[in-house]
């Protein structure tokens, strides 16, 4: 599975995408699930989850400080074997004199 950055720092009011890809070549009967701070992540007005045979994408339409947390993507196959990857997302306030475009990462 393709891993995330261990930590990503972003500013509020931009959109951002977390993508989870299975890269082993075996896309038969994969199940993807997402969690934030060890709680199942569900779609909302500000968050979309889209899943295909080999990937799952979480889209934040407008990041807010409350979106900060530890996000985990877990993939399970038909033999009940699983793998996961995680990242810490930090949404911080605006900094004076810094112009940031949507989906840019501040490290």
């Amino acid at each position: 599975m393709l891993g995330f950055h261990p930590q990503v720092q972003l500013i509020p009011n931009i959109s951002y995408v977390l993508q989870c890809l299975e890269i082993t070549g075996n896309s038969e009967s994969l199940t993807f699930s997402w969690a934030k701070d060890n709680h199942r992540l569900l779609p909302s007005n500000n968050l979309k989850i889209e899943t295909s045979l080999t990937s799952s994408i979480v889209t934040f339409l407008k990041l807010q400080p409350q979106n900060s947390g530890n996000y985990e993507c877990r993939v399970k196959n038909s033999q009940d074997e699983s793998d996961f990857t995680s990242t810490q997302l930090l949404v911080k306030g605006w900094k004076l004199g810094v112009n940031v475009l949507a989906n840019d990462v501040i490290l």
Side-chain angles (χ1 to χ4, degrees):
M1 182 173 3
L2 188 61
F4 296 145
H5 295 287
Q7 185 182 74
V8 179
Q9 294 185 28
L10 300 166
I11 59 172
N13 300 317
I14 64 169
S15 62
Y16 188 73
V17 173
L18 290 174
Q19 186 172 15
C20 185
L21 300 170
E22 179 55 49
I23 58 172
T24 62
N26 181 9
S27 62
E28 188 175 325
S29 300
L30 295 178
T31 303
F32 290 86
S33 61
W34 288 91
K36 176 189 175 198
D37 299 328
N38 295 318
H39 297 284
R40 185 177 172 158
L41 190 62
L42 299 172
S44 67
N45 291 339
N46 193 38
L47 184 138
K48 295 189 315 184
I49 301 175
E50 301 172 89
T51 302
S52 69
L53 291 176
T54 59
S55 68
S56 185
I57 299 170
V58 170
T59 303
F60 298 92
L61 302 177
K62 191 174 182 181
L63 279 173
Q64 298 300 317
Q66 60 265 29
N67 296 126
S68 295
N70 293 305
Y71 288 84
E72 178 182 279
C73 173
R74 185 169 295 275
V75 181
K76 188 183 281 190
N77 65 17
S78 58
Q79 287 80 38
D80 212 26
E81 300 167 331
S82 64
D83 194 8
F84 72 94
T85 188
S86 63
T87 191
Q88 183 180 27
L89 184 64
L90 300 173
V91 181
K92 299 194 173 205
W94 290 93
K95 292 184 179 180
L96 295 177
V98 177
N99 294 323
V100 180
L101 300 175
N103 294 331
D104 279 358
V105 177
I106 304 170
L107 297 176

